[in-house]
Amino acid sequence: MKVIVIALLSSMIIMGCSEPNQQQSESLAEDTMKLNLETPAPQAKKVPHPLTAHGITRTDNYYWMRDDERKNSEVLAHLEKENAYLENVLAPLADTRESLYEELVSRVPKDDSTVPVLDNGYWYYTQYSGDNEYPIFIRKPTLDAEDETLLDVNELAKGHDYFSVGTVAVSRNNAILAYSEDTVSRRLYTIKLRNIDTGEYYSDTISETSGGIVWANDNTHFFYVKKDPQTLLGYQVYRHKIGTTQADDVLVYEEDDDTFYTYLGKSKDDDVIYVFHSNTDMTGTTLIDANAPTKPTRIFLPIEHGVEYDIAKSGDSYFVLTNKDAQNFKVMRAPASATDDVSQWEEVVAHNPDVFIQDMEVVGDFLVLKEKENGEQRLVAHNLNTNVVKTIPMEDPIFGVYFTGNTQTNTDTLRIYYSSLTTPPSTLDINLVTLDTKVMKQNKVSEDFDASQYRSERVMIPARDGKKVPVSLVYKKSTFAKDGTNPLYQYAYGSYGSTVEPTFSTSWVSLLDRGFVVAIAHVRGGQMLGRAWYEDGKMHAKTNTFTDFIDVSKGLVAMNYADGDNVFAMGGSAGGLLIGAIVNMAPELYKGVSAHVPFVDVVTTMSDASIPLTTGEYTEWGNPANKDEFDYMLSYSPYDQVKAQAYPNMLVTTGLHDSQVQYFEPMKWVAKLRELKTDDNLLLFQTDMEAGHGGASGRFKRYESKALEYAFVLYLAGKLEKKMN
């Protein structure tokens, strides 16, 4: 569930239609004759399964599809039938899918590498080459020295249908490599160790971890988080000593509140290891002395309901970004010797109710803040010596920016990852004294890509309650006319406070070049307009996320940015919940929707603490043990609200080994839709039998699912012709 995903949609009812557009249905029926529709769609058997809570009994006819072991032959057979049905129906689009795939991967450089980052005397980077699907991790003592290969993931991945490296971590004496791998896609990682000089593996093998690895400074111990193999909740922090077995590892922290996630970090000066405790509306941190890893831990600040904070160590103090008495956050400074005594803290940047502080980075003599005001982003540098405050200039009016690779404490150079809807991802180094900027790398799109041919805009669209929803738009100038003739592809997420920034997507170029307008709806549930924007889109206000999305679709049609007969929506994970809700609430608006790994069986999932991620998200969706929260979730849960009505054309995808949203949620949803929907529109369901929540693990292979979706969308929009001028 908790994974940032895309949700897109569009709208077509602005002309006063309250019923499905009859002209659209007839046109679609004529068009779909080109596909193979003779084979009947798979029909799942019904086995009534009563679920009773708070005096309400729900009958789930498809509960039988749940198989935690993923070995039930009947379940697997039905998934294979759905896969075969999709391939049969879309057989006439096979060439289209292949050409789209080739087009998409042509924008992925065959030979590519990241910008080197200095850490503990070595420069580290990753490199891709040729047709290799996976990276090679490399280091060297100086930039002009020869490469030293630490890990070739292509070699490790041989013989595996899925392979993912979680963390690569080198001991502080630069002699031992530790890395974590997942070969199933359940995000249960195994840690392995290797001598860098000899290449020999240690006997140490640590299983069922979250993948994170943090070394102590004695080169003998490292820390990791152990996961519960059923719930996949990381809840125990262990200290491992090189040369011993996992059974000998020392438990240093155990989380007894299953609404918290646990993960690790380390201070930039390498002195302190952090154990982070994260709930959706409160956080905490436990400190471990990296120079004395066997000493007792200590609490940075006692956890307080509703209070969140993030920390950055700087010398003998910590900068603290917190919402304590500051809804949109403020920055405090706490002495390292008394972090738990708030009376000794001092204010560095005061709370401003109009400015949301998203993130902070301490670089040399500067505190740099990532801020938003009215949804517009900026980076602000505070000189800690002179108290001079400067806004760092950016090239685009709307953009996304992230701190990256800032490993040094004695520099005035800030490194950022920068992108906009028209500017490909770039790594920039900024001199915080002069504000001079150096482009260290800009991702290449293709030989013929010209950013000046595209335009982005930010518009504000009124929601039904009067709130204005920010929308970021991008289109190709030569194919766009503000006359209501362009097809629309609308995208959002809208959960966990995750802010979807207006950044570049190489895949979207394939839509833009065929005349689409792509829109990101910054709906409530995210934090584009600050913390209140998130609070107004969660728990008992969750439906604002869905109605915002619908109202944006209507608004874009009304403003002639989009053709009301060619509106498409796509979303995944929690964004898939958004898609599931809007097709129940306003199916007439969309010609087609794509729902990827969708979280759609809200009440049943949140009622079962054995399902991964459930307990950690009670404060996002609600706890069904409480009747008011049960009733509210039931009112919008996509699976529970499926009814006898016409639905748009739908493409649903999942992964058998999904660790976030279990495969049986979309499987059940599709079965129920097939049973109740009254239309003849497409309902296609694909399960990747080897992958999980993030899809295929290879850098090229993952575009197969994108090519499938785009073939589906372009076919329905009548845009299968090659790119337009």
Side-chain angles (χ1 to χ4, degrees), residues 135-138 148-153 156 165 167-168 177 179 194 201:
I136 300 172
F137 289 84
I138 297 171
E148 179 184 6
T149 297
L150 292 175
L151 202 67
D152 186 340
V153 183
L156 297 175
V165 169
T167 297
V168 174
L177 172 71
Y179 69 92
R194 195 173 73 190
Y201 278 87

Side-chain angles (χ1 to χ4, degrees), residues 336-378:
S337 59
T339 61
D340 58 350
D341 185 359
V342 179
S343 67
Q344 296 191 45
W345 293 17
E346 63 174 323
E347 187 174 81
V348 179
V349 179
H351 175 245
N352 181 340
D354 296 325
V355 177
F356 172 52
I357 305 177
Q358 265 187 299
D359 199 2
M360 68 175 177
E361 184 76 87
V362 181
V363 180
D365 295 327
F366 291 86
L367 169 69
V368 185
L369 300 182
K370 179 180 173 181
E371 300 179 348
K372 282 189 182 296
E373 185 171 8
N374 196 32
E376 296 183 4
Q377 192 159 262
R378 63 183 178 229

Side-chain angles (χ1 to χ4, degrees), residues 130-176:
D131 294 324
N132 286 339
E133 290 277 10
Y134 301 98
I136 300 172
F137 289 84
I138 297 171
R139 75 173 184 180
K140 49 188 176 182
T142 63
L143 288 175
D144 56 0
E146 290 187 8
D147 291 350
E148 179 184 6
T149 297
L150 292 175
L151 202 67
D152 186 340
V153 183
N154 300 284
E155 291 298 318
L156 297 175
K158 287 181 178 178
H160 297 284
D161 293 318
Y162 178 92
F163 194 90
S164 175
V165 169
T167 297
V168 174
V170 176
S171 60
R172 302 316 293 166
N173 63 0
N174 293 311
I176 306 172

Side-chain angles (χ1 to χ4, degrees), residues 7-25:
L8 294 111
L9 78 96
S10 314
S11 131
M12 33 183 254
I13 70 164
I14 279 317
M15 311 307 277
C17 303
S18 58
E19 298 297 326
N21 187 311
Q22 185 64 32
Q23 182 179 357
Q24 176 205 3
S25 299

Side-chain angles (χ1 to χ4, degrees), residues 9-11 486-490 516-519 553 556 562 566-568:
L9 78 96
S10 314
S11 131
N486 289 83
L488 174 68
Y489 188 76
Q490 186 174 310
F516 274 77
V517 173
V518 173
S553 299
L556 290 175
N566 274 300
V567 171
F568 296 87

Side-chain angles (χ1 to χ4, degrees), residues 456-600:
S456 64
E457 294 185 41
R458 169 66 59 83
V459 297
M460 304 292 286
I461 293 182
R464 61 195 64 188
D465 63 357
K467 297 288 181 68
K468 291 187 177 180
V469 182
V471 182
S472 299
L473 301 168
V474 62
Y475 49 82
K476 192 171 186 178
K477 296 176 184 177
S478 62
T479 64
F480 175 74
K482 198 174 178 182
D483 59 2
T485 60
N486 289 83
L488 174 68
Y489 188 76
Q490 186 174 310
Y491 153 71
Y493 186 64
S495 293
Y496 306 107
S498 179
T499 303
V500 178
E501 304 289 5
T503 56
F504 190 83
S505 167
T506 59
S507 297
W508 286 351
V509 175
S510 292
L511 297 177
L512 301 176
D513 286 352
R514 290 170 172 84
F516 274 77
V517 173
V518 173
I520 306 172
H522 304 291
V523 297
R524 278 172 279 189
Q527 294 185 112
M528 181 57 77
L529 295 183
R531 188 66 176 186
W533 201 243
Y534 169 42
E535 298 292 343
D536 205 20
K538 63 181 287 195
M539 293 293 289
H540 289 284
K542 187 63 210 170
T543 55
N544 285 336
T545 301
F546 316 139
T547 54
D548 281 357
F549 199 67
I550 291 168
D551 293 343
V552 165
S553 299
K554 294 179 179 179
L556 290 175
V557 172
M559 296 168 69
N560 285 328
Y561 280 103
D563 173 6
D565 289 333
N566 274 300
V567 171
F568 296 87
M570 186 278 276
S573 198
L577 163 65
L578 171 58
I579 295 300
I582 60 99
V583 296
N584 282 332
M585 298 168 67
E588 70 280 359
L589 294 182
Y590 311 107
K591 190 167 190 176
V593 303
S594 302
H596 303 298
V597 293
F599 171 45
V600 286

Side-chain angles (χ1 to χ4, degrees), residues 48-66:
H49 182 88
L51 297 166
T52 301
H54 305 295
I56 298 174
T57 297
R58 297 175 297 130
T59 299
D60 187 347
N61 290 322
Y62 304 105
Y63 191 89
W64 66 268
M65 293 177 170
R66 173 176 174 174

